[in-house]
Amino acid sequence: MTEPQILSTTATAEILADKIRTKRARVGIVGLGYVGLPLAVEFAKAGFTVTGIDISEEKARRVNAGDSYIGDIPSSVLAPLVESGKLRATTDFSAVLELDTINICVPTPLRKTKDPDMSFIVSSCQEIARHFHAGMLVILESTTYPGTTDEVVLPMLTKSGLVAGEDFYICFSPERVDPGNPKYQTSNIPKVVGGCTPACTEMGRLFYAQALEYVVPVSSTQVAEMVKLLENTFRMINIGLVNEIAMMCDRMGINVWEVIDAAATKPFGFMPFYPGPGLGGHCIPIDPFYLSWKTKQAGIEARFIELAGYINGQMPHFVVDKIQNALNDAAKPVNGSKIHIMGVAYKRDIDDVRESPALDVMMLLQRKGATVTYSDPHVPSIKLEGLELQSTPESAAGDADCVVIITDHAAFDYPGLVERAKLIVDTRNALKKVSSAKIVRL
Ligand code: SAJ
């Protein structure tokens, strides 16, 4: 692709663009989590010298020891990059003085009030601004509401008197990392990038093009910020829709799983989503509320988001009702029953319990007087209302009055479970191929 001449308009642009093209640019990644560390590795693999900056001494120590804590990055990939000097980590932000580019990959959680918690972005930008200098490219990757880059990050950098698009370059680029995805990893996921000015966008495009396979430049930071929110709001709302369909089918005695599988045979105009015990993870339940918070400021109610949030939030209660009714049919009250949960991670085959609906279901059951245990090969222990619970072997399911499949890990022995369990509530259709009176499906 012949590059537009926009980067030859100023000496600053030409110098930085040349450093990027020749891989002499010194790359900085702030935030070495499931987004930042894979990104740092990709640029180090592409030949750049990369400095990771994290507030965690432990993360910095483990990176410098070539000891990966991110599932998608084996230590066998990380260690050689560290040994060759291509990648190092530090907790000292003064490293910014020596850097040419910085990607900010810090968390953007929600507060309890469902308002955006911008504290990680603000604190990292405050540190960056203290050592910021002319000729830099700064790219925010943390998922956030449209306007954050221009309204929050930019002013913290222009305080230096430097001008965006002339003295330095600033962009937003949404992270699209899907932990554990065997097919799509950082290098081959199309990378959207939008800048505060056309020169910023082009500098961001040039930067990512050195290490990633596909780059998608867009016209502004707001477009880039909105792209991510549309992607994840789309998912959240469609999951909410299928959860509501599941509740309708339940009331009408229709097998929702059969309905979805048959609908999915439509070769166009349909995309299957599946009902479940609720919406977990650090993206899908969170990101849409960054959008609804911002639109509320603009006087627009994000009604779909609020409604989907409500429906998804109802699913743990719906599952507990199913369990209560199933036990009732066996003349057993929840109070005093032993209930064993299979899988507590927020989705299959991962170890992350953030926002996991399993925790809500277990808490609701405990409050009704049940004795709750769990098995999860990926999650050795959890904290439930302040109490630590250890994962127990699957064989414990045989002692329970009711077993509940909350997360359908591939590692589970499903035939063995059907054999030993007295009663099973299956919230994931993990036992779709098994017909047995002891199985109650969502
Ligand atoms: N879920 C359902 N029904 C579905 C799909 C998901 O109940 O049909 C539930 C899951 O069990 C989980 C939650 O929703 O509790 C979120 O699941 P997810 O599959 O969306 O997985 P995440 O949270 O890891 O989402 C990430 C996102 N990636 C990024 O934000 C970069 C999302 O955009 C991806 O589409 C998703 O991975 C993916 O496709 O795996």
Side-chain angles (χ1 to χ4, degrees):
M1 165 183 184
T2 49
E3 286 160 24
Q5 295 313 305
I6 197 164
L7 295 186
S8 55
T9 49
T10 68
T12 305
E14 260 196 292
I15 290 166
L16 179 56
D18 184 53
K19 282 182 179 176
I20 290 173
R21 280 188 211 97
T22 58
K23 301 195 171 54
R24 287 181 296 111
R26 294 153 304 170
V27 171
I29 309 287
V30 174
L32 297 176
Y34 77 94
V35 175
L37 187 59
L39 192 65
V41 164
E42 282 313 318
F43 275 90
K45 279 162 63 176
F48 288 89
T49 300
V50 180
T51 301
I53 304 175
D54 200 290
I55 55 173
S56 159
E57 297 275 359
E58 174 63 5
K59 281 194 170 82
R61 183 191 65 73
R62 290 188 65 175
V63 168
N64 291 329
D67 170 19
S68 176
Y69 46 83
I70 297 290
D72 291 339
I73 303 293
S75 296
S76 59
V77 168
L78 177 63
L81 294 170
V82 175
E83 280 147 29
S84 66
K86 278 297 174 196
L87 175 55
R88 76 177 186 94
T90 180
T91 57
D92 180 355
F93 273 85
S94 66
V96 170
L97 286 165
E98 305 301 319
L99 296 176
D100 298 304
T101 71
I102 294 184
N103 291 71
I104 304 167
C105 307
V106 296
T108 43
L110 278 184
R111 299 184 193 289
K112 286 278 174 250
T113 51
K114 283 207 185 299
D115 292 335
D117 175 357
M118 304 296 285
S119 60
F120 295 97
I121 288 183
V122 171
S123 57
S124 48
C125 288
Q126 280 167 341
E127 288 295 331
I128 291 166
R130 289 176 49 219
H131 308 290
F132 179 66
H133 53 83
M136 292 196 81
L137 168 62
V138 178
I139 302 179
L140 178 61
E141 293 215 358
S142 308
T143 303
T144 184
Y145 59 81
T148 301
T149 307
D150 289 16
E151 298 161 14
V152 176
V153 180
L154 181 61
M156 294 173 81
L157 301 179
T158 51
K159 247 188 342 205
S160 58
L162 296 176
V163 176
E166 291 174 26
D167 304 318
F168 72 98
Y169 303 89
I170 178 170
C171 296
F172 182 83
S173 176
E175 62 89 357
R176 281 176 161 174
V177 177
D178 180 23
N181 190 316
K183 187 174 175 194
Y184 296 111
Q185 293 286 311
T186 297
S187 60
N188 68 348
I189 296 172
K191 195 80 169 105
V192 170
V193 59
C196 284
T197 70
C200 294
T201 302
E202 177 49 24
M203 196 65 80
R205 186 206 64 75
L206 181 69
F207 172 71
Y208 284 121
Q210 307 310 310
L212 307 181
E213 287 177 36
Y214 314 102
V215 185
V216 182
V218 293
S219 61
S220 70
T221 57
Q222 288 89 344
V223 167
E225 288 158 341
M226 195 65 177
V227 162
K228 170 73 177 188
L229 294 179
L230 172 60
E231 288 167 2
N232 283 3
T233 300
F234 163 80
R235 263 184 99 68
M236 180 254 205
I237 284 177
N238 279 285
I239 293 165
L241 168 65
V242 80
N243 279 331
E244 186 169 60
I245 296 284
M247 289 190 272
M248 294 172 184
C249 285
D250 182 70
R251 186 59 58 89
M252 298 185 287
I254 299 170
N255 181 326
V256 68
W257 304 98
E258 186 183 2
V259 170
I260 296 165
D261 286 348
T265 61
K266 183 178 179 188
F268 52 84
F270 181 77
M271 178 179 187
F273 286 86
Y274 299 93
L279 198 59
H282 45 279
C283 302
I284 307 305
I286 309 278
D287 299 348
F289 290 100
Y290 267 73
L291 177 57
S292 61
W293 177 83
K294 181 67 176 178
T295 56
K296 221 172 274 172
Q297 316 275 314
I300 303 169
E301 279 305 309
R303 289 169 296 172
F304 273 110
I305 293 173
E306 300 299 333
L307 177 58
Y310 171 75
I311 291 170
N312 289 325
Q314 284 305 303
M315 292 314 285
H317 300 274
F318 181 71
V319 166
V320 169
D321 287 349
K322 295 285 286 183
I323 295 165
Q324 190 150 12
N325 294 338
L327 281 169
N328 189 52
D329 292 348
K332 289 182 185 172
V334 171
N335 192 353
S337 286
K338 287 192 281 185
I339 299 176
H340 190 70
I341 305 293
M342 298 292 284
V344 295
Y346 79 78
K347 70 176 184 179
R348 81 162 66 100
D349 302 341
I350 63 167
D351 62 1
D352 195 339
V353 294
R354 280 178 289 185
E355 305 288 322
S356 175
L359 305 180
D360 298 318
V361 169
M362 294 166 81
M363 183 190 63
L364 291 168
L365 290 169
Q366 267 187 340
R367 289 183 183 174
K368 287 180 181 289
T371 301
V372 181
T373 55
Y374 84 92
S375 298
D376 190 316
H378 305 283
V379 184
S381 69
I382 56 171
K383 261 232 172 31
L384 201 60
E385 299 209 280
L387 291 176
E388 176 135 340
L389 220 52
Q390 306 289 332
S391 176
T392 58
E394 290 180 43
S395 53
D399 304 331
D401 298 302
C402 180
V403 178
V404 189
I405 300 174
I406 293 284
T407 309
D408 49 337
H409 291 311
F412 284 142
D413 168 19
Y414 290 107
L417 176 68
V418 173
E419 200 157 298
R420 69 171 72 96
K422 302 180 190 71
L423 171 65
I424 301 172
V425 174
D426 179 3
T427 73
R428 297 288 192 174
N429 206 29
L431 304 175
K432 67 194 289 185
K433 296 197 175 75
V434 183
S435 62
S436 158
K438 69 168 82 169
I439 298 171
V440 173
R441 300 176 206 280
L442 204 58

